[in-house]
């Protein structure tokens, strides 16, 4: 994809470089930041287009929900609803390598793309001082998966990030080698039984000791690292999804791409990208699926989306939406 060519600046994390990187984030840019677990590829979590940039830079073939990084539990409460168990865990382990999956709060600003369309979201307050300074200077939650190309190992130094993402992101802040070198432990607090979704830098036993109860095991546990976040529960529209449609009938809602859908007078029509830009299409995907679903139309006719670049992830998601309803 030509659109992701960027000039990558790499610099030691200082007050000045952190301020410049934060300004870049506020403008929708991509910044690799050190955390105590692994280096993360950060973007403004509240912006669908900025988050689409993460997926484009990583070359991910699917949209997984991402972790939003915040300064502290106060900032986190604006985005997610904390159960008593979640409060206990944040109190015990934040800032640090624990990620909490929570129901989205009514005023949640984290974009639908960062949440992969879900009504839940993942939040973490990292301990690394550079990550904290960057979040504070950016003034927004930062969505950040590990800063590697899809299918490669997570980076634990600025040099690893450069090797994978040079020319694809705007900044790399060098904060030295990652202290832990292992991703955060992910615990979902969505009902009375907290669930371990991903083992990580904090031992399961330590989480259970704080909660004084055992963790249930979630769908993510034990999955191959090449398929992170293949979640069993993901956003699926109520409407049936008809793939590779050439036209939309009068009873259908139309999910168009580059004005390809012909004829008819559908219930509603939204174009993922009138100009055929796949990064723009990705940024609109979940919001448009929801909006079309909310029309109550029994079927969404989805135009063909080319398979190159982010088209692979868009098609993966549309295919799953179509299959879910048949199952
Ligand atoms: O240590 C880490 O956690 C690193 C550093 C950079 O902070 N970040 C990281 O982020 O590993 P990421 O985005 O690759 O982790 C995303 C994982 C997904 O694969 C999924 O398992 C889980 O977080 N996740 C995120 N949102 C979720 C949700 N709403 N429900 C269930 N799982 C979710
Ligand atoms: Mg990763």
């Amino acid at each position: 994809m030509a659109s992701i060519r960027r000039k990558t600046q790499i610099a030691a994390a200082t007050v000045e470089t952190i301020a410049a990187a934060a300004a870049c984030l506020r403008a929708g840019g991509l910044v690799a930041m050190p955390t105590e677990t692994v280096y993360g590829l950060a973007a403004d979590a509240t912006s669908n287009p900025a988050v689409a940039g993460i997926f484009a830079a990583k070359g991910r073939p699917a949209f997984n929900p991402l972790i939003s990084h915040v300064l502290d539990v106060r900032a986190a409460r604006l985005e997610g609803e904390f159960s008593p168990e979640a409060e206990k865990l944040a109190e015990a382990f934040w800032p640090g390598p624990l990620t909490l999956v929570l129901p989205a709060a009514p005023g949640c600003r984290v974009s639908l793309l960062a949440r992969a369309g879900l009504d839940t979201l993942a939040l973490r307050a990292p301990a690394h001082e550079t990550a904290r300074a960057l979040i504070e200077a950016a003034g927004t939650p930062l969505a950040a998966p590990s800063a590697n190309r899809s299918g490669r190992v997570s980076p634990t130094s600025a040099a690893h990030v450069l090797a994978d993402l040079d020319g694809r992101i705007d900044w790399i802040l060098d904060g030295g080698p990652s202290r832990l070198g292992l991703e955060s432990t992910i615990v979902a607090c969505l009902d009375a039984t907290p669930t371990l979704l991903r083992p990580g830098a904090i031992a399961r036993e330590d989480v259970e000791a704080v909660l004084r109860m055992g963790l249930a095991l979630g769908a993510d546990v034990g999955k191959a690292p090449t398929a992170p976040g293949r979640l069993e529960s993901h956003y699926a529209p109520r409407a049936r999804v008809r793939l590779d449609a050439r036209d939309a009938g009068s009873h259908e809602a139309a999910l168009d791409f580059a004005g390809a859908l012909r004829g008819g007078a559908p219930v509603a029509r939204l174009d993922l990208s009138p100009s055929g830009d796949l990064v723009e299409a990705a940024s609109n995907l979940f919001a448009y699926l929801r909006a079309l679903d909310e029309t109550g139309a029994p079927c969404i006719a989805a135009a063909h989306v080319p398979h190159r670049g982010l088209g692979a992830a868009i098609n993966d998601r549309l295919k799953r939406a179509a299959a879910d309803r048949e199952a």
Side-chain angles (χ1 to χ4, degrees), residues 200-239:
I202 293 177
R204 174 182 181 178
E205 291 80 357
D206 294 340
V207 176
E208 293 179 334
V210 166
L211 291 173
R212 296 164 176 277
M213 70 166 124
L215 289 170
L217 291 190
D220 246 27
V221 173
K223 295 270 165 79
T226 46
R230 295 301 285 201
L231 302 168
E232 239 118 79
S233 69
H234 56 266
Y235 172 71
R238 273 174 315 227

Side-chain angles (χ1 to χ4, degrees), residues 73-100:
V73 71
R74 262 184 46 212
R77 285 196 200 103
L78 299 175
E79 315 300 339
E81 290 191 330
F82 278 71
S83 64
E85 292 76 25
E87 290 284 354
K88 268 193 220 168
L89 293 176
E91 163 86 9
F93 297 111
W94 281 4
L98 178 77
T99 295
L100 296 172

Side-chain angles (χ1 to χ4, degrees), residues 35 37-40 60 64-67 69 99 101 118 120-122 124 144-146 182-184 186 197-198 220 228-229 231:
T35 85
T37 58
V38 300
Y39 275 70
R60 269 200 185 177
N64 301 311
L66 305 179
I67 297 169
H69 296 69
T99 295
V101 171
L118 297 167
T120 58
L121 84 166
R124 169 164 115 80
S146 53
L182 183 65
E183 271 106 344
S184 62
I186 304 181
L197 294 183
R198 181 176 77 183
D220 246 27
L231 302 168

